[in-house]
């Protein structure tokens, strides 16, 4: 079983729609992260959480929100999707062995 | 906050040659520097990391060097193989901020 699972794997949505990307982990890590990947820009941090009651903005949090429902679950929401949010989104957890990334969600906003 | 720059953006080498990717960082408080490999269509995976209390670390064909004074670190791959072809990302994590910033990535192509 995958230790960091993201759903959906692919999603196409329309401009203005609300969408949620979900992430769950079985590693038992407290620290979870959401990154977006764009060609030529690497991975940019959107939000991170160190436990259920701790949520922090990353470098590009505008237009996004998150929810840490449990230690194992960390969801990313786009309240009103726009085309420049088209990207590959990765969830990650952090433990003593470094970061473990999920398989990614490819989001297209049309 | 931390800013990480990575060069080159693309690198093409012949099988068996060495490849070097360089990164610079801005926050002198950064103390952890990992390197990730991302194969096409897959997730980034940690291949090696170094902490600020050492200057070099080696794992078989890959090595990382760190120059804290100059605030740069490099990935060295020797005896490259076609399966080394991937996008490589450097990153730096600040002791103060706890979040991690990534470089823009280097697409390495190893030609057989």
């Amino acid at each position: 079983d995958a230790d960091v699972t993201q759903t959906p794997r692919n999603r196409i949505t329309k401009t203005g729609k609300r969408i949620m990307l979900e992430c769950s982990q079985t590693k038992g890590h407290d620290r979870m992260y959401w990154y977006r990947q764009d060609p030529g820009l690497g991975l940019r941090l959107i939000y991170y959480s160190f436990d259920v009651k701790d949520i922090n903005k990353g470098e590009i949090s505008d237009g996004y929100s998150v929810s840490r429902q449990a230690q194992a679950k960390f969801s990313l929401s786009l309240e009103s999707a726009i085309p420049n949010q088209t990207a590959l989104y990765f969830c990650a957890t952090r433990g003593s062995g470094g970061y473990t990334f999920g398989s990614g969600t490819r989001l297209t906003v049309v | 906050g931390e800013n990480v720059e990575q060069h080159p953006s693309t690198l093409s080498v012949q099988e068996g040659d060495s490849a070097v990717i360089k990164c610079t960082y801005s926050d002198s408080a950064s103390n952890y520097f990992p390197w990730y490999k991302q194969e096409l269509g897959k997730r980034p995976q940690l291949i090696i990391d170094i902490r600020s209390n050492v200057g070099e670390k080696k794992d078989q064909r890959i090595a990382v060097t760190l120059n804290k004074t100059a605030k740069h670190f490099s990935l060295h791959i020797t005896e490259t193989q076609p399966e080394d072809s991937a996008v490589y990302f450097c990153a730096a994590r600040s002791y103060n901020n706890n979040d991690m910033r990534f470089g823009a990535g280097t697409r390495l192509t190893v030609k057989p």
Side-chain angles (χ1 to χ4, degrees), chain B residues 1 3 10 20-21 24 28-29 32-34 54 62 64 66 70 73 76 78 84 86 101 104 106 111:
Chain B
N3 182 48
T10 61
V20 180
I21 302 170
T24 61
S28 56
Y32 175 66
F33 307 92
V54 298
I62 59 174
V64 57
L66 171 65
F73 56 112
H76 304 253
T78 59
D84 294 329
R101 300 297 172 96
T106 297
K111 294 181 282 187

Side-chain angles (χ1 to χ4, degrees), chain A residues 3 31 33 35 37 40-43 45 48 50 59 90 94 97 99 101-103, chain B residues 32 36 38 41-44 46 51 89 93 97-105:
Chain A
D3 39 23
R31 301 183 181 203
Y33 303 79
Y35 285 88
Q37 184 176 22
L41 294 177
L43 292 149
L45 181 64
Y48 60 104
F50 287 171
E59 56 184 308
F90 284 102
R94 176 183 151 195
Y99 281 39
F101 286 88
S103 296
Chain B
Y32 175 66
Y36 287 82
Q38 186 180 28
K42 297 192 176 180
R43 69 186 80 185
L46 179 70
R51 298 186 185 274
F89 293 98
R93 187 173 71 226
N97 292 333
N98 274 307
D99 66 28
M100 191 148 72
R101 300 297 172 96
F102 286 80

Side-chain angles (χ1 to χ4, degrees), chain B:
Chain B
E2 177 65 275
N3 182 48
V4 179
E5 296 192 359
Q6 182 172 348
H7 300 281
S9 56
T10 61
L11 179 61
S12 181
V13 299
Q14 208 65 39
E15 182 177 1
D17 289 349
S18 295
V20 180
I21 302 170
K22 299 181 178 181
C23 289
T24 61
Y25 61 98
S26 61
D27 188 348
S28 56
S30 289
N31 63 347
Y32 175 66
F33 307 92
W35 286 88
Y36 287 82
K37 176 183 180 181
Q38 186 180 28
E39 296 177 352
L40 189 63
K42 297 192 176 180
R43 69 186 80 185
Q45 294 199 303
L46 179 70
I47 55 171
I48 195 167
D49 57 14
I50 191 168
R51 298 186 185 274
S52 59
N53 58 344
V54 298
E56 184 173 0
K57 185 176 179 180
K58 196 171 183 180
D59 183 3
Q60 298 181 2
R61 294 187 298 109
I62 59 174
V64 57
T65 58
L66 171 65
N67 183 327
K68 282 168 43 181
T69 303
K71 290 190 279 189
H72 67 70
F73 56 112
S74 301
L75 177 72
H76 304 253
I77 307 174
T78 59
E79 301 171 29
T80 54
Q81 301 166 3
E83 50 266 39
D84 294 329
S85 296
V87 177
Y88 291 81
F89 293 98
C90 64
R93 187 173 71 226
S94 169
Y95 167 80
N96 294 330
N97 292 333
N98 274 307
D99 66 28
M100 191 148 72
R101 300 297 172 96
F102 286 80
T106 297
R107 182 174 298 280
L108 173 65
T109 302
V110 180
K111 294 181 282 187

Side-chain angles (χ1 to χ4, degrees), chain A residues 72-86:
Chain A
K73 294 183 182 295
F74 191 36
S75 302
L76 176 71
S77 293
L78 287 67
E79 298 301 326
S80 179
I82 56 177
N84 75 1
Q85 291 177 313
T86 293

Side-chain angles (χ1 to χ4, degrees), chain A residues 16-58:
Chain A
K17 293 291 187 181
R18 184 179 189 275
I19 182 169
M20 180 182 288
L21 309 183
E22 300 194 21
C23 177
S24 63
Q25 52 116 346
T26 58
K27 298 187 75 68
H29 293 162
D30 288 325
R31 301 183 181 203
M32 298 187 72
Y33 303 79
W34 275 104
Y35 285 88
R36 68 175 275 176
Q37 184 176 22
D38 299 276
L41 294 177
L43 292 149
R44 292 182 293 165
L45 181 64
I46 306 171
Y47 270 96
Y48 60 104
S49 167
F50 287 171
D51 65 39
V52 174
K53 298 179 182 178
D54 179 75
I55 302 289
N56 303 279
K57 291 184 178 181

